[in-house]
Amino acid sequence: MIELDTHPSGAAVLRVDGRLTMVDAPALRAAVGEAVAGAATTVVVDLSGCEFMDSSGLGAVIAGLKAARQAGGDLRIAAPSPQVLTVLQLTNLERVLRPFASVAEAIDVG
């Protein structure tokens, strides 16, 4: 499940719970699109509740990063689980999508 909230700073926070697979990837893409259309310059994907991510989920995160950057913003990931962090490390994407320890830390960086 994916929930979209707005932080007092104006950043959009997407909380991903459960598994981020090909079933949920379209919802994440749509939520990022909604956040960007709502003029959020910073989108934070909170992965603290995400226990598993497959290649489709990773693709949705990358597509979200591209959409946010094309709109002049940025997408950041926060609190990835060990499995999600392993996926990022295996694909060397932790260099592009540097994981932050918390949503607050991801927002404060910008």
Side-chain angles (χ1 to χ4, degrees):
M1 175 170 39
I2 298 165
E3 295 176 21
L4 172 60
D5 290 315
T6 303
H7 188 269
S9 68
V13 179
L14 300 170
R15 180 168 167 74
V16 179
D17 286 322
R19 299 167 62 87
L20 185 53
T21 63
M22 64 185 249
V23 173
D24 300 304
L28 179 61
R29 288 176 196 246
V32 171
E34 181 181 333
V36 170
T41 57
T42 302
V43 177
V44 178
V45 180
D46 179 0
L47 296 170
S48 61
C50 181
E51 59 197 39
F52 177 83
M53 181 184 336
D54 68 5
S55 60
S56 296
L58 187 61
V61 172
I62 297 300
L65 174 65
K66 182 179 177 183
R69 287 191 176 168
Q70 285 178 336
D74 195 19
L75 182 138
R76 301 172 187 154
I77 57 172
S81 69
Q83 188 275 334
V84 172
L85 192 56
T86 298
V87 169
L88 292 170
Q89 291 168 340
L90 288 173
T91 57
N92 283 325
L93 287 173
E94 85 278 7
R95 295 178 186 178
V96 177
L97 285 166
R98 184 172 65 114
F100 293 91
S102 67
V103 170
E105 185 180 315
I107 291 170
D108 289 343
V109 167

